[in-house]
Amino acid sequence: MIEENVKAILKELPPGVELVAAAKARTPEEILRAAKAGIRIVGENYVQEALAAFNVVGRRVKWHYIGHLQRNKVKKAIEIFDMIETVDSLGIAEEIDKRCSQQGKIMPVLVEINSGREPQKFGLLPENTEDFVRKISKLKNMKIQGLMTMGPFSGDPENARPYFVETKKLFDRISALDLPDVEMKLLSMGMTNSYNIAIEEGANLIRIGTKIFGPREP
Ligand SMILES: *Cc1c(COP(=O)(O)O)cnc(C)c1O
């Protein structure tokens, strides 16, 4: 199943759109099967889970962190991950920068946008994003490469469209500023139920779990 699912999704993706296999709650063996079927990027929400998967799957794929990162997990995280998609505070940005400088790394990051302005969700409010990007672009050991958003969860994927549109506008606005050390090239939006709409609205990185691995156990 996993193999067919991966192949079917990859076949239908337009050129220039990269697939991230969102792997939370999946076993390392399931992730390895996805990798062998053509997955090139694995997204993980938990550092502990990622470590277990990494030990089996290794560097045959790129690893993206897509969960909410806590300061005390940063040191471990930067040993595994090739990108952190969820930078959402100055504190976490500074910690990533500090740990990367200790390990002699430069971490590509995306800034997470709370496009639905939901109080319980993480991410920058759109109106605060430019200022935030200007600030963290000065950190020498990370490189901003774009934006990521979840959008509010809702049954009807059409409801996600306005949030994707808003995030794309923000992405274009920040790109146009042409800030030093900011390379706005990745826009990570869309999950199993919404990725087609996200692609229509400009996503070039999509994060899919259920459609690859099947429903998660409750
Ligand atoms: C779980 C998850 C996804 C994928 O969700 P599905 O609906 O299973 O495709 C995408 N992004 C993030 C941040 C996730 O936590």
Side-chain angles (χ1 to χ4, degrees):
M1 268 309 264
I2 292 176
E3 289 78 5
E4 288 94 77
N5 294 344
V6 168
K7 289 192 176 121
I9 297 168
L10 288 175
K11 211 163 103 187
E12 71 172 25
L13 286 188
V17 177
E18 277 272 13
L19 172 61
V20 175
K24 61 176 174 284
R26 312 304 178 171
T27 65
E29 290 68 30
E30 289 174 302
I31 299 167
L32 183 61
R33 281 170 59 195
K36 287 183 174 164
I39 286 295
R40 298 196 299 176
I41 309 173
V42 174
E44 288 280 1
N45 296 60
Y46 305 102
V47 176
Q48 231 26 61
E49 231 178 81
L51 275 169
F54 182 80
N55 283 335
V56 173
V57 181
R59 296 247 173 247
R60 72 174 75 220
V61 296
K62 298 277 184 202
W63 297 86
H64 284 201
Y65 192 76
I66 62 173
H68 178 65
L69 189 55
Q70 285 161 340
R71 263 167 176 270
N72 62 353
K73 298 281 164 60
V74 169
K75 184 164 179 279
K76 264 278 157 256
I78 64 170
E79 289 170 13
I80 310 174
F81 290 101
D82 300 289
M83 177 176 289
I84 296 174
E85 293 199 16
T86 48
V87 170
D88 62 356
S89 74
L90 198 52
I92 206 73
E94 286 171 346
E95 183 69 14
I96 294 166
D97 183 63
K98 181 178 121 191
R99 296 294 183 180
C100 282
S101 84
Q102 289 167 354
Q103 293 191 24
K105 286 189 176 170
I106 294 182
M107 180 60 71
V109 302
L110 307 182
V111 173
E112 181 172 2
I113 308 302
N114 185 355
S115 55
R117 297 184 160 75
E118 296 168 282
Q120 78 279 15
K121 284 235 177 102
F122 297 105
L124 272 287
L125 293 178
E127 57 273 26
N128 298 338
T129 305
E130 181 185 329
D131 187 47
F132 181 75
V133 167
R134 284 181 189 276
K135 275 197 188 113
I136 72 168
S137 69
K138 302 207 165 68
L139 299 172
K140 291 281 173 261
N141 290 80
M142 68 167 59
K143 184 142 188 60
I144 302 174
Q145 296 198 330
L147 305 180
M148 176 272 201
T149 198
M150 294 275 281
F153 181 80
S154 113
D156 181 357
E158 265 307 321
N159 294 340
R161 193 185 293 277
Y163 304 101
F164 295 155
V165 169
E166 177 165 12
T167 308
K168 174 63 159 74
K169 279 194 188 139
L170 183 61
F171 179 86
D172 289 341
R173 188 148 18 95
I174 294 176
S175 301
L177 296 172
D178 217 358
L179 298 171
D181 299 313
V182 175
E183 183 189 15
M184 294 295 279
K185 64 174 188 185
L186 294 174
L187 183 55
S188 174
M189 337 189 268
M191 322 203 310
T192 292
N193 74 341
S194 59
Y195 74 92
N196 283 314
I197 288 170
I199 291 169
E200 282 170 23
E201 299 305 341
N204 57 14
L205 197 59
I206 55 171
R207 310 176 309 269
I208 298 185
T210 307
K211 196 168 176 174
I212 292 174
F213 299 104
R216 280 179 291 276
E217 304 288 326

